[in-house]
Amino acid sequence: MDALTTRDLTKCFDRPAVNALNLTLHGGEIYALLGPNGAGKTTSLRMIVGLLRPDFGSISIFGIDALKAPVEAKRITAWLSDEPMIYDKLTPIEYLEFVASLWQVAPRTAQANADALIEWLGLRPHAQERCESFSKGMRQKVALAGALVHDPRLIILDEPLTGLDAGSARQVKDVLLQRARGGCTVLMTTHILEVAERLAERIGIIAQGRLIAEGSLDELRTRARGLCDDSSASLEDVFLELVAEGVEA
Amino acid sequence: MIAPASLLWFARHETRLAWRDIMTMLQGGRSRRGAWAAFAVVIISILLHLIAYVVVAPNIQILEHPDKATLVVTTGSAFLAWTLMLSQAIESVTRSFYARADLDLILSSPAPTSHLFIVRISAIAVTTTAMAIVLIGPFIDVAAMLGGAKFLWAYALLVAMGSSATAFGAAATVLLFWVAGPKRTRLLAQIFAAIIGAGFVIGIQAAAILSYGSLSRIQLFRSPKWIAAAPDLDSPIWWPALAATGDRGALLPVLGVALALLIMATLSTAKALAHNANTVASLSRRAVAKQNLPADFRRRSTAQALRRKEWMLLIRDPWLLSQSLMQLLYLLPPALLLWRNFSSESGHLILVPIIVMAAGQLAGGLAWLTISGEDAPDLIATAPVKAATILRAKIEAVMIAVALAIIPFAIGMAWASPLASVAMIIGAGFAAGAAVAVQFFFRAQARRSYFRRRHTSSRIATFAEAFTSISIAGAAALAAAGFWLALVPTTIAALIVLGARAAAPRTVHS
């Protein structure tokens, strides 16, 4: 069963933000959605996690119709936005305890998961401190721990590494890889092409609300007109070429 | 051509931003609402003038030829208004160097920052005066209509009051910063402002209750003891009161001194404020606050988890807690009145509307915090919980907190008058419910630290919340007195809530 399927997903504000988006993610894969600013990446993710209602189309998460049964779909999904939203007056442990209660995780499992995440993300020395004194990187890690504490099957992240230092970025990447190895599916957007290149098994490129290319880096290289003979082309070259092609089309 | 970074340039910049803020506030983000906003302003203005007529008309003769008793009452009332203006000025001055907004940009530019603060202090004087004009202006207009144009000079007295309040506010804030340091000044200034703003009013009410068994400040000011102790009529202490009644001879020195104070305070504190703003900007992040409680992973329903979270966030934020509890401070005089008039039936009837209004105000503030002031809206919206469950839990968190504040009064009142107690409980419940409903209709994501400025996001919501509380308070008072007429203000309150729902902006599904 596919982890995520969207069919003709469409959302218009003043103009079409997402236009008939068709995505299919398989279980245990890491999928990176790339695109220029305003391409519709965040809008797509917000529709998938239930923060925005699409004008048209369908979303299926592990066979659950996310529009008809949103609570069931949310139970197995985690969302992490680019701006970590946590509670300043709670400690990381209290935050995780609150999130676990929202997802109705059994107390023993929640405590074990929280302890493991606090350890993996290097938050142990700050576990009893209120989040108000945390840097952006630490807040992002707390938010990520919150996203993972209920053992989601599908993790959706919007620019998860923005603003993180090299050490924190490495910790987050390691956690995502470890989750994917455990069978969890990851859908993420990023502007850091190197991250997509290293982490993602498949990459989707979106421009003006449309998915213009999709595949592994090699497949994308082959698709990029004018670069097909250049086997050493970086993802940046491929991305810029495909976006230019997509915009022209 | 205005030279960049000059005083005039900053004044133009600040005026443009302020004007756009005002228009957004009036229109609620919809340009089509401009006509409706203008219509509402006219209607409210007419209502305020009618209220002023009821107060001023019977006293116009006395105001034209004020005696000592009148001067005592006028001076006392003017001083009360001035303390509120001072409180507002202290808050505004403090905010001007703690709210970062565009400060980082300006402080990092080569522009002289003292210019910015000269303009901002002047702007605070203007807004403080403008607020007073909005509230007191109708009384001046009615006095001028009934007693002659000389009463219009009272507007100049308001300018003097706004200027002097701002001067003292700026000086007090700089002094506080110097004494308490940048980390503590914000909280201390807010507490200080609240004590000045509310403490004096409450103190006078408490004195009136203890002396006369009444909430009326006027009765206290009119007491023979106060009048006998007051200075003679030729004392300069009466100049502001005489200026309020149109005496130009008394007005000129008052206005002159006030403007001189403002100019002196502005010029002498602008540099200090700029320096303070720099100090605040370079403050390290907040001090680390540790919670040494062990992790408490236990099975809780989502509603329990949400309620617990709301209460923890409130209890751990001393500033928000003080702002919320501030509204309960106003319950102290009624509590004193209840204690003093325990055996008097009429004393209880006075308390019912006051407590019902306090319940509405408290619920409105708490509802804003839980609904609009949610710091992690995405987390809550993506949790596997029905939106209705989340909303119900948040409303319960508010209503339980309000109930805890009201129950002691209900018990005290039930002892003396069960009917009044029942009316008060039902009224408080309705007022709190209506305030929560209005906050829900006008919900808009905002940081919790914007709590004090929540009223500026929508004037319609502010008025709807206030007028429903007033209507339900009136209904509760009538019901406590056994009048079926209580149904009329109840219906008005229901119509206001329905009107608020119709006027509320449509929200995007989330």
Side-chain angles (χ1 to χ4, degrees):
Chain A
M1 184 188 295
D2 289 326
L4 170 70
T5 315
T6 70
R7 287 287 165 261
D8 298 326
L9 201 59
T10 303
K11 182 75 189 174
C12 293
F13 296 112
D14 294 335
R15 58 183 178 80
V18 177
N19 195 355
L21 180 71
N22 292 309
L23 278 181
T24 302
L25 270 70
H26 313 301
E29 88 169 320
I30 298 183
Y31 186 105
L33 197 56
L34 308 183
N37 290 332
K41 303 184 295 293
T42 301
T43 304
S44 303
L45 298 196
R46 291 180 74 82
M47 284 192 283
I48 293 167
V49 295
L51 289 170
L52 269 179
R53 190 158 188 90
D55 295 336
F56 187 76
S58 65
I59 302 163
S60 167
I61 297 174
F62 286 100
I64 300 167
D65 186 331
L67 298 177
K68 285 188 181 152
V71 172
E72 282 67 32
K74 286 173 180 179
R75 210 178 296 285
I76 51 171
T77 310
W79 160 247
L80 183 67
S81 74
D82 56 340
E83 196 57 47
M85 289 181 171
I86 55 175
Y87 299 103
D88 283 353
K89 299 290 174 189
L90 298 186
T91 66
I93 282 282
E94 288 168 341
Y95 177 74
L96 297 184
E97 177 208 323
F98 171 65
V99 177
S101 294
L102 281 183
W103 262 262
Q104 292 290 287
V105 183
R108 228 178 247 184
T109 314
Q111 181 140 28
N113 287 353
D115 280 341
L117 286 163
I118 292 272
E119 205 64 56
W120 282 340
L121 290 166
L123 290 167
R124 177 64 65 202
H126 310 286
Q128 300 292 342
E129 291 172 10
R130 290 188 196 168
C131 298
E132 61 196 347
S133 60
F134 287 6
S135 65
K136 184 180 176 190
M138 281 167 69
R139 297 168 71 85
Q140 186 78 340
K141 286 196 273 187
V142 174
L144 178 64
L148 301 178
V149 76
H150 53 90
D151 283 330
R153 294 174 70 189
L154 172 65
I155 307 171
I156 299 175
L157 310 102
D158 191 13
E159 302 285 351
L161 303 178
T162 305
L164 295 189
D165 61 41
S168 301
R170 168 65 68 86
Q171 281 173 321
V172 171
K173 283 188 277 187
D174 286 349
V175 168
L176 293 178
L177 281 169
Q178 186 263 345
R179 288 283 160 154
R181 275 187 219 116
C184 192
T185 307
V186 178
L187 167 61
M188 61 189 285
T189 67
T190 181
H191 280 297
I192 310 169
L193 300 184
E194 177 264 338
V195 171
E197 200 166 355
R198 290 200 177 190
L199 276 185
E201 288 147 50
R202 286 196 302 145
I203 294 165
I205 296 179
I206 187 170
Q208 296 182 337
R210 289 179 298 115
L211 188 69
I212 54 171
E214 187 184 44
S216 65
L217 181 56
D218 287 338
E219 287 167 345
L220 291 177
R221 274 196 192 110
T222 313
R223 277 206 53 184
R225 194 175 57 202
L227 287 169
C228 51
D229 295 334
D230 184 358
S231 59
S232 65
S234 68
L235 178 58
E236 187 178 23
D237 300 324
V238 172
F239 170 74
L240 292 173
E241 178 66 22
L242 286 172
V243 169
E245 259 182 39
V247 171
E248 277 171 26
Chain B
M1 181 75 181
I2 300 171
S6 64
L7 272 175
L8 271 180
W9 186 86
F10 271 120
R12 193 183 62 177
H13 170 70
E14 294 285 312
T15 309
R16 183 171 54 186
L17 296 180
W19 176 250
R20 288 183 184 175
D21 272 352
I22 291 168
M23 293 315 289
T24 307
M25 205 166 72
L26 286 173
Q27 295 172 347
R30 291 188 197 175
S31 53
R32 283 182 199 167
R33 286 222 175 125
W36 281 107
F39 180 68
V41 167
V42 171
I43 295 293
I44 291 166
S45 175
I46 291 170
L47 277 175
L48 287 174
H49 280 82
L50 285 174
I51 293 168
Y53 184 84
V54 173
V55 175
V56 173
N59 298 308
I60 194 67
Q61 301 278 345
I62 308 168
L63 286 170
E64 280 186 275
H65 308 286
D67 56 4
K68 197 171 171 186
T70 308
L71 290 178
V72 172
V73 172
T74 311
T75 304
S77 303
F79 186 68
L80 280 180
W82 188 83
T83 55
L84 292 175
M85 291 162 99
L86 177 61
S87 165
Q88 188 193 342
I90 291 174
E91 275 237 20
S92 305
V93 174
T94 313
R95 202 186 304 140
S96 74
F97 57 80
Y98 276 96
R100 304 312 304 165
D102 56 352
L103 261 191
D104 285 348
L105 170 71
I106 294 168
L107 291 176
S108 64
S109 78
T113 42
S114 57
H115 283 184
L116 174 75
F117 281 96
I118 288 173
V119 169
R120 287 205 172 164
I121 296 172
S122 309
I124 290 168
V126 171
T127 43
T128 307
T129 306
M131 281 297 288
I133 287 175
V134 168
L135 294 172
I136 302 171
F139 293 87
I140 298 174
D141 294 344
V142 171
M145 200 174 70
L146 299 175
K150 68 168 188 166
F151 280 101
L152 291 176
W153 288 110
Y155 277 110
L157 177 70
L158 292 184
V159 173
M161 288 167 69
S163 304
S164 56
T166 306
F168 278 101
T173 312
V174 169
L175 189 69
L176 206 56
F177 200 93
W178 183 61
V179 172
K183 281 187 182 172
R184 292 189 205 95
T185 296
R186 187 180 199 179
L187 183 64
L188 283 178
Q190 277 155 350
I191 294 171
F192 191 47
I195 290 171
I196 291 172
F200 193 76
V201 176
I202 290 168
I204 291 284
Q205 275 187 342
I209 291 163
L210 291 174
S211 309
Y212 300 97
S214 152
L215 275 171
S216 169
R217 295 183 292 269
I218 303 290
Q219 200 169 344
L220 182 76
F221 292 144
R222 279 194 182 283
S223 72
K225 214 190 311 177
W226 276 60
I227 292 168
D232 292 334
L233 282 175
D234 54 357
S235 166
I237 205 168
W238 306 124
W239 286 355
L242 288 169
T245 56
D247 183 336
R248 260 183 297 175
L251 171 69
L252 286 176
V254 172
L255 186 60
V257 168
L259 291 177
L261 278 175
L262 179 65
I263 291 167
M264 269 165 32
T266 304
L267 294 178
S268 60
T269 60
K271 268 195 176 167
L273 287 171
H275 172 75
N276 292 351
N278 266 318
T279 314
V280 169
S282 58
L283 270 183
S284 61
R285 288 196 307 271
R286 290 183 199 203
V288 174
K290 289 207 172 196
Q291 301 299 141
N292 291 319
L293 297 169
D296 185 21
F297 286 89
R298 66 173 76 165
R299 187 167 289 284
R300 291 188 179 89
S301 69
T302 46
Q304 282 173 327
L306 282 162
R307 288 196 300 265
R308 183 168 177 266
K309 185 263 292 181
E310 296 299 345
W311 293 330
M312 272 170 81
L313 294 184
L314 186 65
I315 287 167
R316 287 187 184 176
D317 196 328
W319 180 73
L320 275 182
L321 194 63
S322 66
Q323 295 299 316
S324 304
L325 293 181
M326 198 75 73
Q327 296 169 66
L328 294 184
L329 271 183
Y330 294 99
L331 286 178
L332 287 178
L336 201 58
L337 190 67
L338 180 63
W339 170 70
R340 198 175 183 280
N341 296 343
F342 202 69
S343 56
S344 146
E345 188 69 28
S346 60
H348 305 126
L349 293 183
I350 294 168
L351 287 181
V352 170
I354 294 170
I355 291 170
V356 168
M357 273 212 54
Q361 293 300 301
L362 181 64
L366 292 177
W368 184 89
L369 282 175
T370 58
I371 296 170
S372 292
E374 170 60 59
D375 280 339
D378 280 10
L379 172 74
I380 301 295
T382 55
V385 188
K386 286 181 179 164
T389 308
I390 294 168
L391 181 64
R392 198 182 315 132
K394 290 187 170 229
I395 292 173
E396 284 165 1
V398 173
M399 297 303 261
I400 291 171
V402 174
L404 287 175
I406 300 302
I407 280 171
F409 289 94
I411 293 171
M413 200 175 283
W415 196 263
S417 169
L419 177 64
S421 178
V422 170
M424 194 197 80
I425 292 169
I426 295 173
F430 272 112
V436 171
V438 170
Q439 286 300 331
F440 175 68
F441 300 150
F442 287 86
R443 63 193 180 278
Q445 180 58 35
R447 293 189 64 80
R448 290 167 87 85
S449 53
Y450 291 172
F451 181 69
R452 285 302 299 262
R453 281 181 276 167
R454 69 190 187 283
H455 294 309
T456 59
S457 61
S458 170
R459 285 293 173 207
I460 301 173
T462 304
F463 285 123
E465 198 183 306
F467 285 125
T468 44
S469 283
I470 292 168
S471 304
I472 296 170
L478 288 168
F483 291 118
W484 283 104
L485 207 60
L487 288 173
V488 175
T490 307
T491 311
I492 292 172
L495 289 173
I496 295 171
V497 173
L498 289 175
R501 187 179 183 182
R506 277 176 299 166
T507 49
V508 179
H509 168 86
S510 63

